[in-house]
Amino acid sequence: MVMCARYDVVIVGGGHNGLVAAAYLGRAGHSVLVLEQAATAGGAAVSAQLFAGIDIRVSRYSYLVSLLPDRIVDDLGVRFRTRKRRISSYTPAGDTGLLVDNSSRAATRESFARITGSDREFAAWERFSAMTGEVARAVFPTLTEPLPTRDELRKRVGARQWAALFERPLGETIEEYFADDLVRGVVFTDALIGTFTHAHDPSLAQNRCFLYHVIGGGTGDWDVPVGGMGALTDALLACARSAGVEVLTGAEVVGVDTDGTTAQVRFVTDGAVSAAVDARYVLANAAPAELARLLGEPADTEPEGAQLKINMVLDRLPRLRDTGTDPQDAFAGTFHIAESYEQLDRAYREAATGRLPAAPPSEIYCHTLTDPSISGPDAPDTRHTLTLFGLHTPARLFADDPQAKNEIAVAATLAQLNTVLAEPVQDCLARDAHGAPCLDAATPVDLQRTLRLPGGHIFHGDLSFPYRSGPAETPAQRWGVDTAHRNILRCGAGTVRGGGVSGIGGHNAAMAVLEETAAQRPGNAR
């Protein structure tokens, strides 16, 4: 229930970034209203019991945490934690596989030698990891500070690392470090999650995506959210409400107007009742293209997502062709399918011409092997979740007859997975209360429909390097959250330094508002 017609801040979108911004601003004494079109808050950072009669809460869209700063958790008192994954990754190779074990350097070295025939690639892996680690320690702390300039960030990163990751196509750096096709592919996949590109793209979209995948927490670790991703949303929602924030769900925003000083937000509730509220500031936890639509302005770009998300519940983990690796190890980390360097390039070229890749690349992880708490108390010990993230499946492939193309893509992706298993994964699927297999798939078209992500792009658009190239005349520009309107700010994944489950966009938007309102108090220079 909306209690007043005017707020200091109205936040469009109740995803995790919107809740972070709301909590900061509410704690600072601002009146805040969050409007969320779905029945529950959380956006893409939610958990759901997807299958009737199966007591498992699946992280439906986003599934791992790396970029969420401790600063946000500590500032807001967020009751949330993560667990480390002992296994970093497993990549099948014929009847064996490359296992990267975070707890054993010796085991990882032995695995590299078995796959590549020498210690050369392992030594290169350690040099490359040391280089990206230096970059992570330099860059990550800046993400919750005002944007540095390009030159300022370059000095922090160092000339050698800057050239390797910020200036030339990532493919050149990978090829300089590594010779083995499989190892090159394992490294390059971090440049493709949610981004449709190739290793030598001159736009450096691959470099920007890669950067955000290796700097999280200053280590690049990707951790499992205890209780599922919805546990984070629930904790943030509690923080926002305890700060006096009003959260209205089932409220679809249909328009935003502003004169630069006061904004009006128009929305429709579930009962088709139209309403409007005024605000000093509007924070848009929505894609820039969606914000442009709400403002009645042309969008700068029309983003396109390129991922296939499949959630599964299994009665048991499938056996591997690689009999030397325990499935509980292989699935505990990131399980790579058809992701050698050459396979990734071929799949990209096929998709770019409008064809589903003949060998769809994907990667899989099993939440329950690290955090069994998402399963109900009566679930069998052998029951597990599998989350599959397919690459190089751009929205254009599903534009004509989305449902049929979805089924074709799922069948092809599972068939490719089955090439490295000793039994079809379909034989291991649990059955729901109606006897249907526990499998739920979402294409970019589905994400656009359910989450209002233009083109189904999980980052709201191409990621940007975390530095400032324009002016810093306003707090919003200093924090990388500005729009063409002084009192309309971005606060989601579409901010500079947005993307992923991080809360950084929400934090930085809140800091910009707090900085500007502090300057407006009597006695302060504006």
Side-chain angles (χ1 to χ4, degrees), residues 392-417:
H392 292 334
T393 51
R396 70 191 76 166
L397 299 184
F398 304 92
D400 178 25
D401 198 353
Q403 183 57 42
K405 295 296 178 60
N406 177 316
E407 293 173 3
I408 292 170
V410 169
T413 301
L414 296 184
Q416 188 62 39
L417 166 60

Side-chain angles (χ1 to χ4, degrees), residues 54-74:
I54 302 295
D55 190 10
I56 290 184
R57 286 178 53 79
V58 175
S59 297
R60 187 168 194 179
Y61 301 112
S62 52
Y63 45 95
L64 293 175
V65 176
S66 177
L67 291 162
L68 177 65
D70 288 341
R71 172 181 293 186
I72 293 175
V73 174
D74 294 342

Side-chain angles (χ1 to χ4, degrees), residues 8 12 44 87-88 202 251 477:
D8 295 328
V12 179
I87 302 298
S88 175
Q477 290 173 340

Side-chain angles (χ1 to χ4, degrees), residues 53-126:
I54 302 295
D55 190 10
I56 290 184
R57 286 178 53 79
V58 175
S59 297
R60 187 168 194 179
Y61 301 112
S62 52
Y63 45 95
L64 293 175
V65 176
S66 177
L67 291 162
L68 177 65
D70 288 341
R71 172 181 293 186
I72 293 175
V73 174
D74 294 342
D75 283 351
L76 300 179
V78 183
R79 300 186 68 179
F80 171 75
R81 60 194 177 92
T82 61
R83 287 183 183 163
K84 299 291 183 185
R85 298 186 297 169
R86 182 175 69 82
I87 302 298
S88 175
S89 68
Y90 170 75
T91 309
D95 292 328
T96 184
L98 176 63
L99 188 71
V100 180
D101 187 336
N102 290 326
S103 67
S104 176
R105 179 177 179 271
T108 302
R109 179 178 181 175
E110 180 183 347
S111 187
F112 267 86
R114 184 170 61 252
I115 295 297
T116 67
S118 75
D119 283 340
R120 181 197 180 283
E121 294 297 88
F122 178 69
W125 178 273
E126 291 200 314

Side-chain angles (χ1 to χ4, degrees), residues 59-346:
S59 297
R60 187 168 194 179
Y61 301 112
S62 52
Y63 45 95
L64 293 175
V65 176
S66 177
L67 291 162
L68 177 65
D70 288 341
R71 172 181 293 186
I72 293 175
V73 174
D74 294 342
D75 283 351
L76 300 179
V78 183
R79 300 186 68 179
F80 171 75
R81 60 194 177 92
T82 61
R83 287 183 183 163
K84 299 291 183 185
R85 298 186 297 169
R86 182 175 69 82
I87 302 298
S88 175
S89 68
Y90 170 75
T91 309
D95 292 328
T96 184
L98 176 63
L99 188 71
V100 180
D101 187 336
N102 290 326
S103 67
S104 176
R105 179 177 179 271
T108 302
R109 179 178 181 175
E110 180 183 347
S111 187
F112 267 86
R114 184 170 61 252
I115 295 297
T116 67
S118 75
D119 283 340
R120 181 197 180 283
E121 294 297 88
F122 178 69
W125 178 273
E126 291 200 314
R127 291 197 308 274
F128 188 82
S129 298
M131 183 268 289
T132 59
E134 291 178 28
V135 173
R137 289 186 291 275
V139 174
F140 189 71
T142 72
L143 300 186
T144 49
E145 299 172 353
L147 272 169
T149 65
R150 185 179 187 276
D151 286 343
E152 288 169 344
L153 191 62
R154 184 178 184 275
K155 288 177 182 177
R156 291 187 65 143
V157 168
R160 179 177 62 87
Q161 294 92 326
W162 186 268
L165 298 183
F166 289 78
E167 289 189 339
R168 59 176 180 167
L170 182 63
E172 294 181 13
T173 298
I174 289 175
E175 291 161 20
E176 179 181 283
Y177 272 85
F178 304 102
D180 185 82
D181 180 65
L182 189 75
V183 176
R184 285 177 172 179
V186 171
V187 174
F188 186 53
T189 54
D190 278 336
L192 299 177
I193 301 299
T195 302
F196 186 54
T197 186
H198 60 94
H200 293 276
D201 185 346
S203 77
L204 304 188
Q206 72 280 31
N207 293 51
R208 285 172 267 142
C209 183
F210 182 81
L211 182 70
Y212 286 96
H213 279 87
V214 299
I215 62 173
T219 64
D221 290 342
W222 285 84
D223 300 331
V224 174
V226 175
M229 196 60 76
L232 173 60
T233 296
D234 293 344
L236 289 172
L237 182 60
C239 289
R241 284 181 166 152
S242 68
V245 172
E246 297 176 42
V247 180
L248 185 62
T249 58
E252 179 179 3
V253 175
V254 295
V256 177
D257 302 299
T258 182
D259 61 9
T261 301
T262 300
Q264 184 177 80
V265 180
R266 292 174 279 114
F267 61 97
V268 178
T269 63
D270 283 338
V273 176
S274 297
V277 291
D278 294 335
R280 175 66 185 91
Y281 295 96
V282 173
L283 305 189
N285 185 26
E290 177 68 5
L291 175 60
R293 184 186 68 79
L294 295 175
L295 288 165
E297 300 173 350
D300 291 337
T301 60
E302 291 295 336
E304 181 183 38
Q307 67 287 319
L308 174 69
K309 178 74 183 296
I310 304 176
N311 288 303
M312 295 172 271
V313 176
L314 309 182
D315 278 332
R316 57 182 172 80
L317 293 175
R319 292 176 289 111
L320 307 176
R321 281 183 57 192
D322 173 8
T323 58
T325 300
D326 187 333
Q328 294 211 12
D329 288 337
F331 286 104
T334 300
F335 189 122
H336 296 283
I337 306 297
E339 288 190 334
S340 75
Y341 201 56
E342 192 276 332
Q343 285 174 314
L344 289 168
D345 183 65
R346 183 169 64 248

Side-chain angles (χ1 to χ4, degrees), residues 440-513:
D440 177 75
T443 68
V445 172
D446 297 320
L447 296 186
Q448 177 166 318
R449 174 177 50 82
T450 58
L451 297 177
R452 309 297 170 88
L453 299 178
H457 201 304
I458 61 173
F459 301 140
H460 294 185
D462 285 344
L463 296 168
S464 55
F465 281 125
Y467 56 72
R468 173 171 56 82
S469 54
E473 298 170 355
T474 68
Q477 290 173 340
R478 279 168 35 81
W479 286 94
V481 297
D482 57 299
T483 71
H485 307 278
R486 178 101 184 205
N487 64 336
I488 309 291
L489 280 61
R490 293 171 290 154
C491 82
T495 62
V496 181
R497 306 179 290 191
V501 177
S502 71
I504 291 169
H507 170 277
N508 292 346
M511 295 304 107
V513 171

